[in-house]
Amino acid sequence: MADFLSILARAPLFMGFDEHTISLILEAQGAQLARYARGEVLLREGERTDKFGIVVDGTIFIEQNDFWGNRNLMGRISAGLIFAESFACSRPQRPLAVNVVADSGCVVYWLDCHRLLQQGSLDEKVWRTLVANLIHVLSNKNIRFNEKVTHMGQRTTRDKLLSYLSMESRKAHSAVFDIPFNRQELADYLGVERSAMSACLGKLRDEGMLTFDKQHFHLLEVE
């Protein structure tokens, strides 16, 4: 546990807590540590779970697959972030609408959502802060989901790219920024063909609207 406390201390779920308090919370909540290999499925679409995870090492993908195996990448979860909390905390409990897959070898703490929502042996102030943090995390993830809906609602690949890159620029407060996806992942996230998206990026570069190097982008003002 000690190896991951510094990571958890920077996690939104544990904002305001020192490492000692986080250790007490994990113990009181009966948190379980699990390790997964690259490509291993942590949770499958259609399953039900009363636990949500917090990644402490590596990354995971949240994805949907249609009948023919085409992937819709919903997001990438890196160290310090939680996943499956909406399904774990739902009542009545809803089956997962996504798959959770290890992008790299990863380590995850599993916490019982309904146990977390009960004060139990935790100090009341600690418990209230923890629940408030969970609500903030849920709110922010809902905002990010709405951002994805905005991008995918655009009519063309070009418009989807411009919508996404403009949003990332606003988040970075800069015209120069890095995105968390490689080309295939970005295509899966936006729901477009990779080849068409790559061609569109090249055209936008030729038009003087942006430059890029792998995951590094620089948006340019057009005169």
Side-chain angles (χ1 to χ4, degrees):
M1 179 186 297
D3 295 340
F4 304 118
L5 286 176
S6 61
I7 295 172
L8 293 174
R10 299 191 297 271
L13 181 63
F14 296 113
M15 185 178 297
F17 298 128
D18 58 26
E19 293 184 14
H20 175 68
T21 304
I22 294 172
S23 179
L24 294 177
I25 292 172
L26 294 177
E27 182 177 355
Q29 295 298 315
Q32 299 175 330
L33 190 67
R35 299 175 184 273
Y36 299 92
R38 178 181 176 85
E40 190 170 354
V41 178
L42 286 67
L43 294 170
R44 294 185 183 277
E45 182 179 355
E47 292 181 347
R48 299 176 190 270
T49 180
D50 55 6
K51 294 181 174 61
F52 66 92
I54 178 166
V55 178
V56 290
D57 188 40
T59 56
I60 64 170
F61 284 133
I62 309 298
E63 59 186 44
Q64 289 179 322
N65 296 284
D66 65 19
F67 182 83
W68 297 272
N70 299 308
R71 183 174 75 158
N72 177 14
L73 182 59
M74 306 299 292
R76 168 185 267 162
I77 309 297
S78 55
L81 302 181
I82 68 175
F83 61 92
E85 71 287 348
S86 295
F87 296 101
C89 295
S90 65
R91 278 294 183 268
Q93 197 173 74
R94 298 182 180 276
L96 273 78
V98 297
N99 294 313
V100 180
V101 183
D103 170 36
S104 60
C106 65
V107 183
V108 171
Y109 269 113
W110 291 101
L111 293 92
D112 187 302
C113 184
H114 298 286
R115 185 170 177 177
L116 184 149
L117 294 176
Q118 299 175 0
Q119 183 178 344
S121 60
L122 289 176
D123 173 82
E124 182 176 359
K125 183 178 179 181
V126 169
W127 175 70
R128 288 183 178 276
T129 301
L130 184 62
V131 172
N133 286 347
L134 178 61
I135 293 172
H136 294 154
V137 170
L138 284 164
S139 298
N140 288 330
K141 291 185 77 171
N142 184 58
I143 290 171
R144 288 195 295 274
F145 176 75
N146 287 333
E147 290 173 355
K148 176 178 168 65
V149 171
T150 296
H151 306 325
M152 294 191 67
Q154 304 302 313
R155 295 178 63 87
T156 67
T157 297
R158 178 190 178 96
D159 290 341
K160 291 179 181 181
L161 273 171
L162 292 177
S163 174
Y164 173 75
L165 294 173
S166 294
M167 184 77 72
E168 291 300 301
S169 175
R170 286 196 292 272
K171 289 180 184 178
H173 304 289
S174 173
V176 181
F177 55 90
D178 294 316
I179 66 172
F181 303 125
N182 63 31
R183 289 292 181 270
Q184 185 60 60
E185 293 162 359
L186 179 58
D188 291 340
Y189 179 77
L190 294 176
V192 298
E193 289 290 337
R194 176 179 175 175
S195 58
M197 185 193 72
S198 295
C200 188
L201 281 173
K203 187 174 182 180
L204 290 170
R205 178 187 55 202
D206 295 342
E207 293 173 0
M209 296 187 66
L210 53 80
T211 62
F212 56 85
D213 180 19
K214 297 181 179 178
Q215 293 170 244
H216 184 74
F217 283 79
H218 183 185
L219 305 189
L220 305 171
E221 294 186 9
V222 180
E223 297 181 357

